[in-house]
Amino acid sequence: VTEGKDGLAIALGDAGLSLYPESEDILAITGLLALMRQEWSLAVELMEQLRSGQGDKTPPFTYVMRVRALRCMQRSHTRGRSSA
């Protein structure tokens, strides 16, 4: 992704989600890609799907990334209201 191949990474992530929508690996990667693209709602949705699939064995990193996406989404909405 850092070498300008983020379009390819996004396409592969989307393809992976369509083929394996419950794969923890695919959900984690596409969730991180959504965070990178600042698509907060999508990141929250994917991280929640990941957390749901992991159940009681959800690692702290999943929660941290979900909270980060939620906070960024909230900031984004707050900034949008203040500039309107």
Side-chain angles (χ1 to χ4, degrees):
V1 175
T2 59
E3 295 178 12
K5 297 186 181 191
D6 48 332
L8 177 60
I10 292 165
L12 290 171
D14 290 344
L17 270 179
S18 68
L19 294 171
Y20 306 102
E22 296 179 13
S23 166
E24 290 182 19
D25 292 333
I26 298 294
L27 289 167
I29 293 296
T30 55
L32 292 174
L33 286 169
L35 282 165
M36 183 188 77
R37 294 187 321 259
Q38 299 181 2
E39 294 181 4
W40 311 125
S41 296
L42 178 59
V44 169
E45 178 184 333
L46 292 167
M47 289 297 164
E48 180 53 32
Q49 288 176 19
L50 177 60
R51 190 212 53 79
S52 178
Q54 292 171 329
D56 293 340
K57 296 181 181 177
T58 302
F61 186 75
T62 300
Y63 289 108
V64 169
M65 291 297 102
R66 184 171 179 269
V67 168
R68 178 175 289 170
L70 285 166
R71 285 182 178 165
C72 290
M73 186 170 62
Q74 182 181 20
R75 285 186 200 133
S76 175
H77 289 311
T78 303
R79 287 184 189 142
R81 280 191 224 134
S82 64
S83 64

